[in-house]
Amino acid sequence: MSARPRVEVMHGVNLDQLGRRDPALYGTLTLAELERRIEREAGELNLAARFFQSNHEGAFVERLHALREDADAVVLNPGAWTHYAWAIRDALEIAALPAVEVHLSNIQTREPWRRVSVIADLCLASISGHGADGYGEALLMLRDELGDPS
Ligand code: DQA
């Protein structure tokens, strides 16, 4: 059996505060709990998940720069950076990997400024408002895109 496809799951600014943020919008899981759930779901899909979180835009950009060597696909929730961080968009373009954008809350039904995503057109899909389930949906899309190596 060949190696499992590697999916980098990236969380941006303030996502390390899950569990303390409004549960009506973001659910009750901490980031560690969310990552354990995503890791289990990735395993069930024969994918190897790896995780990254930063509150520093430059660190997030540099992780994206390194991804070409380290990952086959990326799931990303950049938090508020989604709405204005053009440097993250450029870095995602440089990474040139299949990508799916995930948001726990529904960014289309909140404040008008959240409706803009500067990364959406670089992603296979933008999943928003499905809570933690959105990550499983993103992994499934990427597994279908990459193909099952087994
Ligand atoms: C978020 C939505 C963003 O607008 C917000 O700034 C976040 C989290 C989400 O997962 O719903 O930090 O990306």
Side-chain angles (χ1 to χ4, degrees):
M1 190 170 89
S2 18
R4 291 185 298 169
R6 302 156 302 169
V7 179
E8 184 87 4
V9 180
M10 298 184 67
H11 285 105
V13 63
N14 291 318
L15 272 311
D16 59 332
Q17 298 300 307
L18 289 177
R20 293 173 63 191
R21 299 185 73 180
D22 184 351
L25 290 168
Y26 301 116
T28 55
L29 297 184
T30 64
L31 182 60
E33 290 165 344
L34 178 63
E35 287 181 346
R36 276 201 294 278
R37 180 182 157 157
I38 297 168
E39 188 163 38
R40 178 171 41 76
E41 290 173 340
E44 287 165 6
L45 292 169
N46 209 15
L47 298 168
R50 201 153 85 170
F51 298 94
F52 180 84
Q53 190 277 329
S54 183
N55 293 320
H56 302 277
E57 187 178 341
F60 201 86
V61 162
E62 287 182 354
R63 185 70 199 121
L64 283 166
H65 290 172
L67 276 197
R68 267 291 251 291
E69 285 74 49
D70 287 357
D72 300 303
V74 56
V75 172
L76 72 169
N77 180 352
W81 289 330
T82 305
H83 313 301
Y84 65 88
W86 296 103
I88 287 176
R89 180 205 158 78
D90 284 348
L92 182 61
E93 197 166 26
I94 291 164
L97 292 173
V100 175
E101 170 187 12
V102 174
H103 301 284
L104 292 157
S105 66
N106 187 345
I107 60 173
Q108 298 306 328
T109 57
R110 297 180 63 193
E111 302 93 324
W113 57 269
R114 287 188 207 271
R115 293 183 198 143
V116 175
S117 165
V118 299
I119 61 168
D121 65 303
L122 298 176
C123 295
L124 295 171
S126 299
I127 300 168
S128 169
H130 298 184
D133 290 349
Y135 292 88
E137 294 166 24
L139 292 172
L140 195 53
M141 277 179 199
L142 290 171
R143 202 276 314 265
D144 289 348
E145 178 72 16
L146 296 168
D148 189 337
S150 60

